[in-house]
Every structure is written in structure tokens, then in C-alpha cells.
Amino acid sequence: MNYSAKVMDHFTNPRNVGEIEDANGVGMVGNAKCGDIMKMYLKIDENDVIVDCKFKTFGCGAAIATSSMATELIKGKTVSEALALTNSAVVEALEGLPPVKVHCSVLAEEAVKCAVADYYTRIGRPIDFEVPTEHDEE
Ligand code: FES
């Protein structure tokens, strides 16, 4: 399988790995088929800006690379900008993924959405988007 240099970089040297103790948005998603799990921690300020973002991924190399890239893409952005992050934007930023690995990038998009949904719940804001749940699609 051919991975881009960017994917290899984010896999071997992932950014923002870990947990945020006082995170106010935490989301976890999993893919039942491959068994991979991704957990995303967001620290969001009073202006809805994501001031910090970390992740923990128990999964394949592409899942690690896509979560790393997703954290880079949403850090410093507002929650609504983070909600607009698509898995294809993550793939594009990584300069491509083999087709069988595209579902790994879906997990990254979903982890962000779940974490934002948790934030909305904590601050009592209605959730006006679809919250991902565990699924078993490819
Ligand atoms: Fe399932 Fe990569 S193989 S997330």
C-alpha cells in the first residue's frame, strides 16, 4: 500500500496526542468492523474557539494520521468551523489515502462532531447536527 509522505509523517510523529484533563468537549467513536477507536478532547473558550485539542486513537496507522491531522485543522478554529470539517478535507490535507483507508478519515470527522456535541450538551445548547454513533460500514 502506498502512503503519502504526509500520512507517514503524521503516523510516525502524530501531533496533539494525549488527553486534556479539563476538556469541555469529549467524544469517542469506533468502527465496529475494524475495531478501531478514536477519542477526541476539546478545550473550548467562551467565544466558541477551540484553544486546545488532543486525541487518543487505538487503531491503524491511517486512523492515527487522520486524527493527528484533524486536530491540526481544528485547533484555533470555532466549533462551527470544526463541525464543517469533512473527512475529505482531512484526506486532502494528508495528500490522499488509499481507498480502503478512507473509513479511517471518517472516524476523525466523527470524533470531532461527537466532541462538539458533548460540548453543546454541557453548555445546554441544542444539538442541531447529526451525532455519529458506532457503525460498521467500510
Ligand atoms: Fe479502521 Fe483504520 S482500519 S480506522
Side-chain angles (χ1 to χ4, degrees), residues 3 30-31 33-38 57-64 66 100-108 137:
Y3 288 110
N31 183 304
K33 217 164 216 165
C34 64
D36 291 355
I37 292 169
M38 204 179 273
T57 291
F58 301 91
C60 72
I64 290 165
T66 54
V100 294
K101 288 289 170 184
V102 168
H103 80 267
C104 318
S105 66
V106 173
L107 224 46
E137 301 121 45

Side-chain angles (χ1 to χ4, degrees), residues 61-79:
I64 290 165
T66 54
S67 13
S68 166
M69 182 52 90
T71 58
E72 290 271 277
L73 291 173
I74 64 169
K75 221 178 191 178
K77 301 275 169 61
T78 64
V79 285

